[in-house]
Amino acid sequence: MAVYEMRLPDIGEGITEAEISEWHVKPGDLVAEDDILAAVMTDKAAVEVPSVVEGKVLDLACEVGESLAIGSVLVRIDVAGAEGGGTSKEVQAAEPETAPQTARTQNLNPGAKPLAAPSVRAKARAAGVDLRAVAGTGPAGRIRHEDFDAHLAAKGSGHLPNNPPTDPPQAARSKRTGTTEIRVVGMRRKIAEKMVTAKRQIPHITLVDEVDMEALEDLRGKLNARHAGTRPKLTLLPFLARALVEALRDSPEMNARYDDEAGVIHRHEALHLGVAAQTSQGLTVPVLRHAEALSLWEAAAEIARLAEAARAGSIKREELSGGTLTISSLGALGGLVSTPIINHPEVAVIGVNKMQVRPVWDGTAFQPRKMMNLSASFDHRVIDGWDAGVFMARLKELLETPALLFVEG
């Protein structure tokens, strides 16, 4: 018996350990080269670890939710017929090489989980596709990214290889008594740890200001209509990014990171804007780098790219770190007011709330106006209430008078 000991690879500069968020194999399973063995979670991103050998899984290093040091043995695999039988060899996980396979459909019992990587399942959830209807070309019918893309293409053309299963008829109403136990692991654990750190270490102060969005929305609509099909669609976020760039000229203390252990504030000239995005795995914060150097359309294109990569699970680790200020927005689903939590070690976060048409008094009568509340939280250790108020007043002025966004200096 030749045993390969696969060790947890180096998955990023400065990362010393990773948490096992999901096992894709168990002892006794036969694996082929390129099969995904596990998904691991660092403090920056989720990473899939593929097998580089073919054989039988002997044992796993730990349980889901436990952490392993980089370089530790991840799995041990019996490689039948390998040279040097009876010896133990070590390998590091490598990038998979996709080989053409013959498509096969997984034989799943009702409710069974299809064989697919987390990133493939995330894409399926985002597209509203039942993976049981997708033919997989990987080992044992595992669904690869190219299988899913081919299924979507066939669905768009109206030539699906097989019909998705139909939901069973609704049963009569009855009492529900079940309880589901869900371990907090992976990204959800990282989110929980980060939120606890932020709330424990940062004394938050939150200000809410009402903004008249009528003029900006009129401008946004005209720009989108004029450049439809030739430039990226403009959402509110590129305008808000531009407004933040201008507001930070007068309030540079907001664009900072506070090293509370060293007692040092790092104030940044570049605006690396975190844009919180909800994914099937939880909340992630991709970073729009050098927002101060981007046009409206460049910012719109980059925000859209980052959000899609986050939802598909393909975002890079370096695109999730280094932010200096964060925007948190639920769009049309947002409430009237929020109390956003600062993304530690930053010192401020801007919460975008739902836009609504409200009656506004103009001095003589009530007029219908598109109004939106901005909720901003600040680290009260380094940001005084007066300075927070000055910053919010300037941001409100810029959004209500969008022509100011295009006046240099």
Side-chain angles (χ1 to χ4, degrees):
M1 177 175 71
V3 178
Y4 278 86
E5 292 184 340
M6 291 194 57
R7 296 180 177 271
L8 186 60
D10 184 356
I11 50 182
E13 182 180 357
I15 295 175
T16 59
E17 66 176 15
E19 176 190 322
I20 303 298
S21 58
E22 185 176 9
W23 283 111
H24 290 262
V25 296
K26 62 183 182 298
D29 283 356
L30 296 177
V31 296
E33 186 175 345
D34 199 29
D35 281 1
I36 301 299
L37 300 176
V40 301
M41 174 66 62
T42 72
D43 59 350
K44 299 183 185 298
V47 178
E48 294 176 345
V49 180
S51 176
V52 297
V53 295
E54 180 176 350
K56 181 179 180 179
V57 177
L58 296 178
D59 51 56
L60 311 178
C62 62
E63 298 292 329
V64 169
E66 296 182 12
S67 294
L68 281 180
I70 299 300
S72 299
V73 174
L74 181 69
V75 295
R76 296 172 66 246
I77 299 176
D78 174 19
V79 184
E83 293 184 4
T87 63
S88 176
K89 299 185 179 181
E90 301 174 358
V91 297
Q92 295 261 340
E95 290 295 325
E97 296 179 359
T98 303
Q101 301 281 343
T102 302
R104 64 191 75 124
T105 303
Q106 302 178 45
N107 295 319
L108 297 175
N109 295 323
K113 188 177 182 180
L115 295 174
S119 57
V120 175
R121 291 200 293 273
K123 288 171 67 175
R125 283 191 291 267
V129 173
D130 189 332
L131 281 179
R132 292 175 295 174
V134 181
T137 61
R142 181 181 296 277
I143 300 170
R144 301 171 182 266
H145 283 279
E146 52 266 36
D147 300 328
F148 181 76
D149 294 339
H151 178 83
L152 283 187
K155 183 178 180 181
S157 65
H159 299 290
L160 284 174
N162 54 327
N163 294 322
T166 58
D167 293 332
Q170 292 290 330
R173 293 182 180 274
S174 59
K175 293 181 178 179
R176 298 177 181 176
T177 58
T179 299
T180 301
E181 184 176 297
I182 302 173
R183 293 194 64 190
V184 181
V185 300
M187 184 176 290
R188 178 50 56 188
R189 176 185 285 182
K190 293 298 180 183
I191 293 172
E193 291 173 351
K194 204 165 181 61
M195 293 299 100
V196 169
T197 298
K199 290 298 288 185
R200 181 179 63 242
Q201 296 186 206
I202 301 175
H204 285 58
I205 176 176
T206 300
L207 300 183
V208 180
D209 217 335
E210 188 177 48
V211 182
D212 187 332
M213 301 295 292
E214 195 76 31
L216 192 147
E217 282 297 283
D218 180 62
L219 174 62
R220 188 173 73 87
K222 289 179 179 177
L223 289 174
N224 280 331
R226 181 174 182 178
H227 299 286
T230 61
R231 287 187 171 182
K233 183 178 180 180
L234 295 173
T235 65
L236 170 62
L237 293 179
F239 289 93
L240 185 53
R242 174 66 69 87
L244 286 170
V245 169
E246 295 301 320
L248 289 172
R249 295 180 189 273
D250 300 322
S251 301
E253 66 273 15
M254 306 300 168
N255 191 42
R257 295 164 68 92
Y258 179 34
D259 184 343
D260 39 19
E261 291 187 4
V264 176
I265 299 171
H266 298 276
R267 187 177 294 178
H268 295 267
E269 294 183 5
L271 175 56
H272 299 316
L273 188 61
V275 183
Q278 188 67 33
T279 73
S280 59
Q281 301 297 315
L283 184 69
T284 61
V285 187
V287 177
L288 177 70
R289 299 197 178 278
H290 287 288
E292 76 282 357
L294 301 177
S295 69
L296 281 178
W297 288 277
E298 289 171 338
E302 182 65 359
I303 290 171
R305 185 192 70 79
L306 290 168
E308 177 57 31
R311 286 191 289 267
S314 60
I315 194 163
K316 300 175 182 177
R317 286 177 287 104
E318 58 268 22
E319 294 175 328
L320 293 170
S321 62
T324 58
L325 182 65
T326 293
I327 295 175
S328 178
S329 173
L330 287 177
L333 295 178
L336 293 178
V337 175
S338 59
T339 55
I341 297 176
I342 297 168
N343 189 15
H344 181 271
E346 297 169 19
V347 301
V349 59
I350 309 300
V352 180
N353 298 297
K354 180 167 56 178
M355 193 180 306
Q356 288 184 326
V357 176
R358 305 175 196 164
V360 177
W361 183 256
D362 66 359
T364 58
F366 284 102
Q367 301 292 338
R369 306 288 293 181
K370 293 179 181 177
M371 306 296 294
M372 182 186 75
N373 291 341
L374 285 181
S375 302
S377 295
F378 305 90
D379 187 337
H380 214 354
R381 298 173 298 177
V382 295
I383 304 295
D384 294 331
W386 173 266
D387 294 328
V390 169
F391 173 70
M392 290 294 286
R394 177 58 172 159
L395 195 57
K396 172 183 170 72
E397 178 187 29
L398 289 163
L399 293 174
E400 291 187 336
T401 315
L404 296 175
L405 299 177
F406 305 94
V407 177
E408 294 297 327

